[in-house]
Amino acid sequence: MSASPSASEPSLNWTAIAALYAGLLFGIGVMLLAEQYRNATWLGLLGCAGGCTAYGRVLTQQGRETIAKRWKWGSGLLYATFFLWAGTAFLRALLG
């Protein structure tokens, strides 16, 4: 008898996820009030990427690998967008 996908991986801690995203939304709100729009966008990108990763994991636990793979790829694209944009801004600040 083989283990089901949900039995082989630990489930997500939804309380921790809710607290993380409450803090994320608070941080974005504070940054918007301080008119730090670029930093708020970066934080939003990281939050969306993390959400896509978590949802892909939920889909994997449900045995829906094909759809989960799309969400994980989307997450990778969001992370790549963040790192390219933030890296470019960092280099511009460092060199200029």
Side-chain angles (χ1 to χ4, degrees):
M1 183 162 85
S2 66
S4 67
S6 61
S8 64
E9 292 185 31
S11 63
L12 295 172
N13 184 344
W14 291 107
T15 305
I17 291 171
L20 176 70
Y21 278 92
L24 187 76
L25 289 174
F26 178 76
I28 290 173
V30 168
M31 286 182 192
L32 290 174
L33 286 174
E35 298 180 0
Q36 295 182 1
Y37 302 116
R38 181 179 63 187
N39 293 340
T41 303
W42 287 350
L43 197 55
L45 274 172
L46 289 174
C48 288
C52 288
T53 301
Y55 189 60
R57 186 169 166 198
V58 168
L59 290 171
T60 299
Q61 289 177 348
Q62 293 175 353
R64 301 169 67 190
E65 288 291 330
T66 305
I67 298 171
K69 187 182 286 187
R70 292 180 194 156
W71 282 92
K72 292 175 184 177
W73 270 98
S75 172
L77 289 174
L78 289 170
Y79 280 124
T81 301
F82 166 76
F83 283 112
L84 286 173
W85 186 12
T88 302
F90 175 71
L91 286 176
R92 239 183 287 144
L94 188 66
L95 300 174

